Amino acid sequence: MKSRNDRPTYKLLGRSALAAAIISTFAISGNAASFNPVTDADILNDQATTEDVVSYGLGPKAQRYSPLKKLNRDNVTDLRPVWAFSLGGEKQRGQESQPLVKDGVMYITGSYSRLYAIDTVTGEELWQYDARLPDNIMPCCDVINRGAALYGDLVIFGTLDAKLVALDRKTGKVVWKEKLADYKAGYSFTSAPQIIKGMVITGVSGGEFGIIGKAEARNAKTGELVWSRPVIEGHMGYLNGKENGITGGKAGQTWPGDMWKQGGGATWNGGTYDPETNLIYMGTGNPAPWNSHTRPGDNLYTSSRLAINADTGEIVWHFQTTPHDGWDFDGVNELIPFDYKEGSKTVKAAATADRNGFFYVLNRVNGDFIRGVPFVKNITWATGLDDKGRPLYVESGRPGNPEDSADGKKGSSVFSVPSFLGGKNWMPMAFSKDTGMFYVPSNEWGMDIWNEPIAYKKGAAYLGAGFTIKPIFDDHIGSLKAIDPKTGDIKWEFKNNAPLWGGVLTTAGNLVFTGTPEGYLYGLCAETGKVLYKFQTGSGIVGSPITWEQDGEQFVSVISGWGGAVPLWGGDVAKRVNYLNQGGTVWAFKLPKS
């Protein structure tokens, strides 16, 4: 039974939906010792509790590190697939999801806003939910979804028409559903929600349509809105239904005229959370439109990292990576909290690898700049960063103003590195407590980019720019780099022909896992980058791997299914990888018992 609707569908032939639900629930209880509610403590301790994965990023800091080491660099060559699950149907677009695991059940989202519950022992489907999507949704970068959240007896995820849906974990039935924004204005939702202190935290997608980015918190059990914080200067925030201050104090400080009203800043990649500071770290996307000559000023708080008080939604500090962005260098990439020693002092830091090509280390308490270094080669738009972390712009590196052209229709074109898809895009990096290094999936590419005249129209693309992405090296585009955040040094690099578009996992077994568009799941030595393991999954990997322990054995899982922004927006790079096949398969691996 397959249908795109707002009910769970069951792959149990010859059964009614009701009977199937009963049988599926029995199957779950039979494979799991118990069906336990997910608590705030479970989420905070997710990195340390190895028998499950209950949050996106393996804990609120999203370090994507597991203390498991039964699987290690000495035995990873023996890793074997134990089951594979097909998402089915004809909806084989980009599969960017990270699985969650709890009580013997895996929860995975798929393209076109689908969610599956899978038996982790057998790989059998327990239930499936297909969202009913309108025909005129407008996702910019494929019909993807990056994952769900677990809380209590609920599994919560967002849909492409900008809704948030909470399902019963046992049956897949809808418990509550809330509208996040108006999809007809260009809003959508693709990231994994985050659970903090009993609240579900969300952003929004749609930066190419002149929407207003925002972070919001809802009661995870009911969906009721707790607070809302727009990220563009001049817009009002709310707490418990009451006004809670204008973002930035007032409008028009860093925006000309009324440009702030359609200022962009989409919060499309979610956030991280530090329990010590009680701060949510959420990134903001490009200002709208792309044509920067229409909006002189820093355009706060676009292309930035924001620290938001988890209880009130108030912005505590901000760090803007690309003021007056003219290259679509969204600041949404994850800001990962971590500590390091400087003599006898412990530095409370956080790191991010930005689309603009620079790797930043910040003080996570107050947002002060600690250091920043390039992590990709041949950057053209800036010569470096000043002592506050502000870019030192190359004025000739900004695409020209179309008003200066003879016909006023197209500004002068420049070749810019990195491309607008970034030195690093959404795909999450990992931090190892053992090596002290960040493992960053990056890409070496550039673009021809030019500006055009543009006017805002609700629900229409709001760019004012054209572009063509091109490789800058013959032998590779993708590059997984091990970066020491204390120095900015790149310790090793793994090069890949196609762009890297999937997440990274690191473990106490001295391993780093990631996938490639060519379909390979790789296991590398965390210290040296040496390839220790390689498995062909049949389609490109653009999802994020996880690991957990079950019945005394360590499992690894990743979803395979090529798609995302690269084949849609990739220009000459898309042509280079147009032979890659789409797919939709969840793979699970473990060591043989013998």
Side-chain angles (χ1 to χ4, degrees), residues 27-261:
I28 294 173
S29 62
N31 285 330
S34 58
F35 211 96
N36 300 301
V38 176
T39 66
D40 290 293
D42 291 335
I43 294 167
L44 290 175
N45 296 324
D46 196 18
Q47 186 178 90
T49 54
T50 57
E51 69 276 7
D52 53 34
V53 177
V54 296
S55 63
Y56 188 75
L58 284 71
K61 294 181 179 180
Q63 293 179 343
R64 297 184 178 272
Y65 168 85
S66 171
L68 285 170
K69 52 186 176 183
K70 289 183 178 179
L71 179 65
N72 55 61
R73 65 179 178 182
D74 296 324
N75 61 18
V76 69
T77 54
D78 295 325
L79 191 64
R80 299 288 186 271
V82 290
W83 55 259
F85 171 81
S86 172
L87 272 59
E90 297 178 356
K91 303 171 185 177
Q92 295 187 354
R93 297 283 288 271
Q95 310 297 345
E96 294 185 359
S97 184
Q98 177 216 289
L100 300 174
V101 171
K102 178 66 175 173
D103 297 330
V105 180
M106 177 182 289
Y107 302 92
I108 187 99
T109 59
S111 54
Y112 290 100
S113 304
R114 296 172 290 167
L115 196 150
Y116 301 78
I118 305 167
D119 187 310
T120 57
V121 174
T122 65
E124 295 178 9
E125 179 181 297
L126 302 173
W127 54 258
Q128 175 183 338
Y129 174 86
D130 290 356
R132 177 182 292 139
L133 297 173
D135 292 332
N136 54 340
I137 54 173
M138 293 177 283
C140 86
C141 306
D142 207 1
V143 288
I144 58 92
N145 189 286
R146 298 191 177 93
L150 298 177
Y151 193 70
D153 294 325
L154 302 176
V155 54
I156 305 168
F157 84 123
T159 62
L160 288 166
D161 57 345
K163 291 185 175 67
L164 195 64
V165 183
L167 307 175
D168 186 295
R169 283 170 49 208
K170 299 177 184 178
T171 66
K173 295 185 182 296
V174 175
V175 176
W176 58 258
K177 183 190 297 185
E178 293 292 332
K179 178 181 176 180
L180 297 174
D182 180 9
Y183 76 89
K184 294 180 181 178
Y187 286 92
S188 59
F189 188 86
T190 54
S191 63
Q194 185 180 23
I195 302 294
I196 298 171
K197 303 173 81 168
M199 300 180 292
V200 55
I201 311 298
T202 57
V204 289
S205 302
E208 276 60 62
F209 295 93
I211 56 89
I212 297 299
K214 59 182 177 177
E216 291 186 325
R218 286 175 168 76
N219 184 308
K221 293 184 178 179
T222 66
E224 182 181 1
L225 186 66
V226 177
W227 55 256
S228 178
R229 173 54 55 190
V231 303
I232 299 298
E233 175 187 281
H235 294 267
M236 180 64 71
Y238 293 88
L239 174 64
N240 297 320
K242 298 179 180 179
E243 292 184 352
N244 191 34
I246 294 174
T247 298
K250 64 178 181 178
Q253 299 178 91
T254 63
W255 295 82
D258 289 339
M259 295 293 289
W260 59 276
K261 292 183 178 180

Side-chain angles (χ1 to χ4, degrees), residues 231 280-284 301 304-308 315 317-319:
V231 303
I280 298 167
Y281 303 110
M282 186 168 283
T284 65
Y301 291 101
S304 300
R305 305 305 188 281
L306 305 182
I308 300 173
I315 297 174
W317 58 256
H318 81 278
F319 183 88

